[in-house]
């Protein structure tokens, strides 16, 4: 119990067990770490609305990195804390327009609980249409230039997809680099 006490303050206990332990905590949407902060340099800028991300991608002529995630997803939190914070991954993610699409309930205080749940259901249907029900699922999309959606689904070409806990950071770096080189 003493070993795990730092986790109560959202600090990582030392050691390999501690790194995995904090992944079980639900995200704190008030803290910068929950919003993609790595503690080094500028934070990652995440959208939580696909249409807004699409408009930014079109304006900036960038690809979209979609993070299908959930509020209680331990692998999602582990990847955010232990992989996205690594320098080469962080730098490559900054080359994309980033959007987190929550598949359970969207953590947006402006939405009613019912609206947040409905948006989560919509995001789940998008995740399934783009290929995989696993959380997290990361999809790299070359968005259509004319419209963000077609028949209620994101329109564009899927250039890459990964899911689950990221074990091999170098492989994930290659996953992020390849679409940028195309």
């Amino acid at each position: 119990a003493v070993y795990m006490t730092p986790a109560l303050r959202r600090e990582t206990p030392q050691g390999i067990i501690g790194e995995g332990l904090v992944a079980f905590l639900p995200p704190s949407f008030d803290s910068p770490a929950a919003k993609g902060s790595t503690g080094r340099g500028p934070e990652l800028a995440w959208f939580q609305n696909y249409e807004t991300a699409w408009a930014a991608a079109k304006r900036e002529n960038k690809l979209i990195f979609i993070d299908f995630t959930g509020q209680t997803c331990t692998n999602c939190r582990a990847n955010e804390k232990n992989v996205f914070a690594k320098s080469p991954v962080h730098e490559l993610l900054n080359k994309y327009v980033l959007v987190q699409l929550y598949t359970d309930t969207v953590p947006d205080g402006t939405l009613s609980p019912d609206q947040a749940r409905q948006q989560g259901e919509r995001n789940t249907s998008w995740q399934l249409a783009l290929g995989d029900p696993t959380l997290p699922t990361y999809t790299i999309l070359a968005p259509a230039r004319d419209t963000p959606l077609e028949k209620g689904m994101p329109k564009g070409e899927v250039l890459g997809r990964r899911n689950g806990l990221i074990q091999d950071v170098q492989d994930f770096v290659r996953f992020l680099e390849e679409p940028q080189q195309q």
Side-chain angles (χ1 to χ4, degrees), residues 1 24 26 36 46 53 66 73 78-80 89 93 102 105 117 120 126-127 135 142 148-149 167-170:
F24 285 93
W46 291 94
I66 303 173
C73 172
N79 289 346
E80 290 165 7
V89 174
L93 285 173
Y102 285 81
T105 181
R117 184 188 47 74
W126 289 359
Q127 179 185 12
L135 283 183
L149 304 173
Q167 301 285 346
D168 184 346
V169 174
Q170 287 305 322

Side-chain angles (χ1 to χ4, degrees), residues 35-36 43-50 52-54 56-57 60 62-67 84 89-90 92-101 139 176:
K35 297 177 179 137
E43 295 179 9
L44 294 172
W46 291 94
F47 290 98
Q48 288 189 354
N49 177 292
Y50 177 77
T52 306
W54 174 84
E60 299 171 23
K62 288 184 174 182
L63 300 174
I64 299 175
F65 179 87
I66 303 173
D67 174 5
F84 291 4
V89 174
H90 188 265
L92 285 165
L93 285 173
N94 275 319
K95 294 181 179 184
Y96 291 90
V97 170
L98 307 172
V99 61
Q100 284 185 315
L101 299 179
T139 302
L176 293 171

Side-chain angles (χ1 to χ4, degrees), residues 1-180:
V2 172
Y3 173 75
M4 295 187 289
T5 301
L8 296 173
R9 296 182 309 272
R10 296 196 174 277
E11 296 171 8
T12 304
Q14 292 183 350
I16 189 84
I17 295 172
E19 290 177 6
L21 178 68
V22 294
F24 285 93
L25 297 174
S28 169
F29 296 103
D30 296 331
S31 74
K35 297 177 179 137
S37 171
T38 62
R40 47 176 101 127
E43 295 179 9
L44 294 172
W46 291 94
F47 290 98
Q48 288 189 354
N49 177 292
Y50 177 77
E51 289 87 346
T52 306
W54 174 84
K58 182 178 174 184
R59 181 177 57 254
E60 299 171 23
N61 197 29
K62 288 184 174 182
L63 300 174
I64 299 175
F65 179 87
I66 303 173
D67 174 5
F68 288 103
T69 188
Q71 289 193 46
T72 59
C73 172
T74 57
N75 287 341
C76 302
R77 301 297 86 74
N79 289 346
E80 290 165 7
K81 184 162 180 62
N82 301 320
V83 178
F84 291 4
K86 296 201 181 297
S87 184
V89 174
H90 188 265
E91 290 171 18
L92 285 165
L93 285 173
N94 275 319
K95 294 181 179 184
Y96 291 90
V97 170
L98 307 172
V99 61
Q100 284 185 315
L101 299 179
Y102 285 81
T103 59
D104 43 13
T105 181
V106 177
D108 182 343
T110 64
L111 300 175
S112 71
D114 192 47
Q115 291 171 321
R117 184 188 47 74
Q118 287 174 355
Q119 280 194 14
E121 290 172 0
R122 180 203 63 185
N123 294 343
T124 298
S125 70
W126 289 359
Q127 179 185 12
L128 294 173
L130 292 173
D132 198 307
T134 306
L135 283 183
T137 292
Y138 305 114
T139 302
I140 297 175
L141 187 72
R145 304 296 296 159
D146 58 340
T147 182
L149 304 173
E150 183 174 69
K151 298 180 183 174
M153 295 291 171
K155 184 178 177 187
E157 179 184 357
V158 174
L159 301 177
R161 184 181 307 108
R162 291 286 164 92
N163 59 26
L165 183 65
I166 299 168
Q167 301 285 346
D168 184 346
V169 174
Q170 287 305 322
D171 184 56
F172 192 70
V173 166
R174 284 189 295 277
F175 164 71
L176 293 171
E177 285 175 333
E178 287 175 8
Q180 293 290 332

